[in-house]
Amino acid sequence: MAAAKIKKGDSVVVLSGKDKGRTGTVRQVMPKTGKLIVEGMNIAARHRKPSQANPQGGIDRFEAPMHMSKVAVADPKDGKPTRVRFEEKDGKKVRVAVKSGETIDG
C-alpha cells in the first residue's frame, strides 16, 4: 500500500463543497474507505427522537466524514493548498509540499 499523503493532525484546505476554501485540522483518517474527518468541517445534523439514553431528544450535530479528494494539504509557507511528494532527507523519507518545497513533517 502507498504511503499516506494526508495524516492525522495535518492542516488541510477544503477544495469543494459547502466548506470550500476553509482550513482545518485532520481529526481522523479512514484509509480503507478513503475518507477523513476535519475539525469543524462538513457538519451534519440528525434529528433524534427522545430515548432513555437521551431523554431530551433534539438535533444532533457532528462532523461527517468527507472524501480525501475534497481536501489538499495546506502549504506550511503560505497556507494555500498544495500537492505532496516524498523525498529522502538524511536517510529518512519525508513529505514535501510541491509548491514551496517545504518539509511537512519535521
Side-chain angles (χ1 to χ4, degrees):
M1 185 165 175
K5 294 196 175 185
I6 301 176
K7 295 182 179 180
K8 181 180 176 177
D10 282 353
S11 182
V12 294
V13 180
V14 180
L15 301 175
S16 66
K18 60 186 175 186
D19 294 312
K20 181 179 179 177
R22 292 180 61 199
T23 305
T25 307
V26 176
R27 184 178 286 186
Q28 182 183 354
V29 179
M30 298 167 258
K32 282 189 178 179
T33 58
K35 297 189 177 204
L36 45 79
I37 295 175
V38 183
E39 280 183 27
M41 305 290 161
N42 199 28
I43 302 295
R46 291 285 176 267
H47 292 72
R48 303 284 187 198
K49 287 172 78 172
S51 63
Q52 276 194 312
N54 183 12
Q56 185 65 33
I59 301 169
D60 185 20
R61 287 181 169 71
F62 58 95
E63 296 154 346
M66 63 171 65
H67 200 268
M68 285 183 180
S69 65
K70 288 184 172 268
V71 299
V73 175
D75 196 317
K77 205 170 204 175
D78 60 5
K80 292 182 180 175
T82 183
R83 289 172 293 136
V84 175
R85 72 167 166 252
F86 290 94
E87 288 181 3
E88 199 166 309
K89 291 187 179 177
D90 302 323
K92 193 174 180 187
K93 188 176 177 182
V94 293
R95 295 181 301 153
V96 176
V98 172
K99 262 188 183 170
S100 66
E102 296 275 319
T103 303
I104 294 171
D105 40 19

